[in-house]
Amino acid sequence: MQQNDPSLLVSWLFLDMNSYFASVEQEMDPSLRGKPVAVVPLLADTTCCIAVSYEGKAFGVKTGTLVGEARKLCPKMKFIVGDHSDYVRYHNKIVEAVESCVPVDSVCSIDEMACRLTGYQRDVQVAGELAAKVKAVIREKVGSSLKCSIGLGPNRYLAKIAADMKKPDGFTVIQPCDLPEILYQLKLRDLTGVGKKTEEKLIRNGITSMKQLLSLGPGEMNKSWGSVCGAEMWHLLRGENLEIKETEQKSISHSHVLPPELRNKAGALRILKKLTDKAAMRLRKEGFFASGLN
């Protein structure tokens, strides 16, 4: 086979920062490095961890674990009240670092971004070298505590799936010639877009494994999903590049977990006013106006 064989080429590089919020805290405070860290909205046992370092995950603490439970699982866990502005600041540095290696096509979230590969970049060896360079530049220019998993794939969806397959600091390639067998090792919930309800629906339709799912035709996928999303997934899982639908922002929101001492009507109203002011400020900055308040 030649290097320009379409079955060997990749078209997307997807980057997923590992335990991002916790890693930023470890980068900012060297004393936290190599130790279990959890980022929380406030210091209260009744709230939950919104990010956990891999040292903390080794004790069974996960995103969503209640702080009280996390203390029992890992008595040495350090809890940090997160400041979103720090994560945005580091996010901007990471985007700049990645851009110095390969253009960022889209920022998918504060800790994820996708890069479209073109020309000679689509060669797996070249793309792999780009991935290694991205990791190195992030370490050198942003911080040694900030690690990422990178996936290469024939479309953005499969590149994201590849990035999720090895963590932390992973690197996985999915080429068209690897499909569908490389996906057999996954669980249904490993697929982006398949949550608990969709998984339950698939199981009710007799689909309990990736091999079964990948044996279906487009029509059968629609039936199993109960919508045209099934056929779209059929094409994505076969490495096809579908046009990405642009979404329009229709709402602006802010949230805040109330500490125990503010869990009363007066306290809640005080926080509500603060959140409303913040949302209104963002609304004006974006040039929007509100048609309703929920």
Side-chain angles (χ1 to χ4, degrees), residues 13-15 91 94-95 98 104 106-108 111-115:
L13 181 154
F14 195 95
L15 179 147
H91 163 81
I94 292 167
V95 172
V98 176
V104 173
S106 56
V107 173
C108 307
D111 60 351
E112 294 181 326
M113 60 198 74
C115 306

Side-chain angles (χ1 to χ4, degrees), residues 195-255:
K196 182 179 179 181
K197 290 185 178 180
T198 301
E199 182 187 37
E200 291 173 349
K201 187 182 297 183
L202 291 172
I203 292 173
R204 285 198 301 271
N205 282 284
I207 309 301
T208 59
S209 70
M210 283 297 297
K211 191 168 185 178
Q212 286 178 302
L213 182 69
L214 290 161
S215 70
L216 301 178
E220 293 172 307
M221 289 278 277
N222 269 348
K223 183 177 179 182
S224 297
W225 247 262
S227 72
V228 294
C229 292
E232 291 179 0
M233 182 68 76
W234 187 90
H235 290 286
L236 290 173
L237 292 173
R238 279 151 183 80
E240 297 179 27
N241 274 290
L242 301 183
E243 184 178 350
I244 299 172
K245 298 175 181 177
E246 296 295 333
T247 57
E248 180 183 350
Q249 184 176 3
K250 295 184 178 180
S251 65
I252 287 178
S253 63
H254 282 281
S255 62

